[in-house]
Amino acid sequence: MSTTNNHKIPGDLDLVGALKKNGVTIDLDDIVFSNITQIAVGTSAGQTNQGLNAIAVGQEAGQTNQGLNAIAVGQEAGQTDQGFQAIAVGEQAGQTSQGSYATAVGYQAGQTSQGNTAIAIGPSAGVTNQGSQAVAVGDQTAQTSQGAQAVAIGFGAGFISQGPTAIAVGTNAGTTSQGSAAVAVGTS
């Protein structure tokens, strides 16, 4: 680590005045961006095939195949195969195979195989196999295998195997194997 004028600079840099690389100029007291098409901050963030206008912030965020205009913020957020204009915020949110236009917010939200335009908000919401256009809002909501266009709102709602176009609203509503187009409202 080099030190210049009490500024610590990681790596093998010997900074004299300023450093300019890939359209970024770093002066000792300020940073100036020009002609930037991607932003990656963190170890291995945006490492391989980061899409144009994509943003990856956090260790291994958007690491491999991050889509055009995608945003990944948090450790391992949008890590592998994040879709076009997808958003993943939180540790391991949208981590693997997040679909285009999908949104995952919270720890492990939409973690694995989140469908196109799906929404998962809350810790462990829509963790595995969330279908296209499905919505999961709440802690541990629609955690495993939520069908396409299904909606689950509330702690544990639609927890395991919620069928396509099913609706579950309330704590633990439609917890296990809710059928296609079924409606569950209230606390179980």
Side-chain angles (χ1 to χ4, degrees):
M1 178 176 293
S2 301
T3 303
T4 305
N5 293 343
N6 296 324
H7 295 277
K8 291 183 180 179
I9 295 148
D12 296 322
L13 300 175
D14 185 15
L15 197 67
V16 178
L19 168 70
K20 185 169 186 177
K21 184 176 180 181
N22 296 332
V24 178
T25 300
I26 302 174
D27 203 323
L28 294 178
D29 294 315
D30 51 276
I31 298 173
V32 178
F33 294 91
S34 63
N35 300 321
I36 298 295
T37 57
Q38 299 105 336
I39 296 172
V41 179
T43 304
S44 300
Q47 186 175 35
T48 306
N49 297 326
Q50 185 181 29
L52 293 175
N53 303 315
I55 299 170
V57 179
Q59 182 178 342
E60 298 176 350
Q63 184 176 14
T64 305
N65 299 326
Q66 185 181 28
L68 180 72
N69 299 319
I71 298 170
V73 178
Q75 183 176 340
E76 298 173 342
Q79 184 176 16
T80 305
D81 298 324
Q82 185 182 28
F84 175 78
Q85 294 189 352
I87 298 170
V89 178
E91 183 179 349
Q92 298 176 342
Q95 185 176 13
T96 304
S97 299
Q98 184 183 28
S100 294
Y101 307 103
T103 302
V105 179
Y107 172 72
Q108 294 183 339
Q111 183 179 22
T112 304
S113 298
Q114 184 183 30
N116 293 334
T117 67
I119 298 170
I121 299 173
S124 300
V127 173
T128 305
N129 297 325
Q130 185 183 27
S132 295
Q133 300 174 337
V135 176
V137 179
D139 187 4
Q140 299 178 38
T141 302
Q143 197 170 56
T144 304
S145 298
Q146 183 182 32
Q149 299 177 336
V151 176
I153 300 172
F155 177 84
F159 187 73
I160 296 173
S161 298
Q162 185 183 29
T165 68
I167 298 171
V169 179
T171 300
N172 296 321
T175 300
T176 305
S177 300
Q178 185 182 18
S180 178
V183 177
V185 178
T187 303
S188 69

